[in-house]
Amino acid sequence: MVGPVATFEKEVEVEEIVGRERGPVVGLLELGGQPPDLLADSYRDQQGTDRRGRLVDDGAGAARAAEAIGTAVVVDAHPDGEVDDPQADRSAALALGLDRCHTGSIGTAPGALEARFRGLRSRSAQRRPYDAASVTPITFAHRGARAQHPENTLPAFRYAIEHGARGLETDAWLSGDGQVVLVHNSWVRGARLGVVPRRIPVPTTSAARLHDLGVPRLADLYEKLGSAYELSIDLKDGGVGERIVELARESGDPGRLWLCSPSRRALRALRDVAPDVHLVHSQTKSRLQTPLERHAADLAEARIEVMNMHHSEWTAGLVALFHRFEVKAFAWDTQEVRHLQAMHTIGIDAVYSDHVARMVETIDGPAAS
């Protein structure tokens, strides 16, 4: 059965086909564009297959048209209303030039995600129940108190804890001798022969040498400051996550560890070996290739407990959406009082800021700082 024909451009039409029978197939190259490479973007961790034979159809739809038209592009709909290869459907819609908010919803039946999540909750014994009150809102000192001390140093971390921050945020790499070191970039500034400035690569330099350059180890942080605080760590190295978990189990508190990555694939791999830590998907909204509702459902299914976005991308509605799937909402770069107040008002679960006193006073009140 063929549904109504909707014209998007003068010579291009879209049909919704109910059923699985297909006519003659043409590739996207014949439409003048390149076929999508859906496996290329590993950073966004989006997966899919380019099934061009199910994206484009130039058969009966064009033959029945009232006047001669170009090749018709057809978007496939599953007869049961289920999401069937949404990446493939999205590619066909992008060929038409549809905007992102519409392409992501192709093939999604109303209520399907909530139904899937209800089933997930009934069979997930390891997943902790959502309890925003237990951690709301965490005040994370971004790279320590970097507005007062050099970032990612023990003095910065100590200052943050002493001035009321309930959490520390840092970045982690593996050094050349396999130790977890806390530094943002893959290099640190040094000098050749003590004179000529140079960049010293973290992955090929020993932890002892990096320590001389002001880079602490995670072991040093636990030794000097203990673990009575929330610790958010950006995973900068592919193999650093598992080593962090080992150290937290040996010297810290894995239950207060929040491991952050833009890669859902990396986080899913960690969940399999570390059910006792918190996992955080840190990504900008513009880089998400699925609708936010579906993304929230995917995080819940993968037992990734937090979505972390820039504060400007959060709204009260989005916070409520992620909470509906028992996924917490974190906001980074909340540097000004107005940013912190806005996030607190809409129910965000944690904030990250360089300015510890400002953050603590705004979130917890003057007495806390």
Side-chain angles (χ1 to χ4, degrees):
M1 181 173 66
V2 180
V5 176
T7 302
F8 282 79
E9 296 182 3
K10 186 174 182 180
E11 294 187 3
V12 178
E13 296 188 350
V14 176
E15 295 178 344
E16 179 173 321
I17 305 299
V18 180
R20 314 306 295 173
E21 295 184 5
R22 318 303 290 154
V25 173
V26 297
L28 290 180
L29 283 174
E30 296 179 50
L31 296 178
Q34 291 294 324
D37 182 358
L38 299 176
L39 297 177
D41 196 348
S42 59
Y43 178 74
R44 300 176 194 173
D45 193 29
Q46 302 298 325
Q47 301 180 47
T49 54
D50 178 14
R51 296 190 285 174
R52 289 175 295 183
R54 298 180 54 196
L55 302 182
V56 183
D57 191 314
D58 68 342
R64 290 191 298 271
E67 60 185 27
I69 61 172
T71 301
V73 179
V74 176
V75 177
D76 192 18
H78 194 285
D80 298 324
E82 299 295 331
V83 177
D84 185 32
D85 195 5
Q87 291 284 13
D89 291 339
R90 190 182 72 85
S91 300
L94 289 177
L96 289 174
L98 299 184
D99 60 62
R100 186 183 298 259
C101 68
H102 289 92
T103 61
S105 300
I106 292 173
T108 303
L113 297 177
E114 289 88 342
R116 188 181 78 179
F117 183 60
R118 285 194 295 271
L120 167 70
R121 284 189 293 185
S122 67
R123 67 175 186 271
S124 178
Q126 289 183 318
R127 183 175 175 82
R128 292 182 288 273
Y130 179 76
D131 182 12
S134 66
V135 294
T136 302
I138 304 172
T139 46
F140 281 114
H142 182 235
R143 304 183 200 171
R146 68 191 299 250
Q148 284 75 32
H149 294 276
E151 66 179 44
N152 286 328
T153 60
L154 291 178
F157 297 138
R158 181 179 289 107
Y159 181 97
I161 295 299
E162 291 176 349
H163 287 77
R166 285 199 295 280
L168 300 177
E169 188 275 345
T170 187
D171 312 271
W173 295 82
L174 286 178
S175 64
D177 52 353
Q179 299 194 55
V180 180
V181 291
L182 307 180
V183 60
H184 180 71
N185 294 319
S186 62
W187 51 269
V188 293
R189 296 187 184 279
R192 187 188 302 275
L193 302 177
V195 178
V196 182
R198 61 174 296 196
R199 290 183 175 185
I200 298 178
V202 171
T204 58
T205 304
S206 70
R209 170 67 174 137
L210 292 169
H211 180 270
D212 293 339
L213 296 170
V215 177
R217 302 174 304 157
L218 177 58
D220 298 329
L221 177 63
Y222 280 141
E223 179 184 351
K224 300 297 184 181
L225 296 180
S227 59
Y229 49 85
E230 307 299 321
L231 181 58
S232 174
I233 302 182
D234 277 359
L235 306 179
K236 298 293 188 177
D237 188 299
V240 75
E242 292 187 26
R243 183 63 186 130
I244 291 173
V245 174
E246 292 174 5
L247 282 169
R249 290 170 178 167
E250 293 169 4
S251 307
D253 184 352
R256 305 189 79 169
L257 186 61
W258 305 79
L259 299 183
C260 309
S261 173
S263 167
R264 286 183 296 159
R265 181 183 292 115
L267 294 173
R268 285 194 297 266
L270 273 175
R271 175 53 74 216
D272 292 337
V273 299
D276 50 344
V277 305
H278 304 283
L279 300 181
V280 181
H281 187 218
S282 296
Q283 190 57 275
T284 60
K285 187 166 64 174
S286 62
R287 288 184 176 272
L288 300 178
Q289 296 300 299
T290 56
L292 287 169
E293 185 177 30
R294 184 176 189 86
H295 187 70
D298 289 343
L299 293 184
E301 185 172 16
R303 291 177 293 139
I304 298 171
E305 298 157 273
V306 181
M307 184 68 209
N308 183 25
M309 297 194 298
H310 190 266
H311 71 85
S312 64
E313 298 180 312
W314 284 112
T315 65
L318 286 183
V319 172
L321 169 65
F322 278 88
H323 283 176
R324 195 171 81 226
F325 289 92
E326 300 186 0
V327 175
K328 295 178 176 64
F330 286 10
W332 56 274
D333 195 28
T334 53
Q335 307 298 353
E336 305 297 334
V337 170
R338 65 181 184 276
H339 303 155
L340 293 159
Q341 290 175 335
M343 294 300 98
H344 198 14
T345 299
I346 66 176
I348 214 78
D349 297 293
V351 293
Y352 296 82
S353 180
D354 299 342
H355 304 276
V356 174
R358 180 184 302 169
M359 172 177 63
V360 172
E361 182 174 345
T362 303
I363 298 298
D364 298 329
S369 60

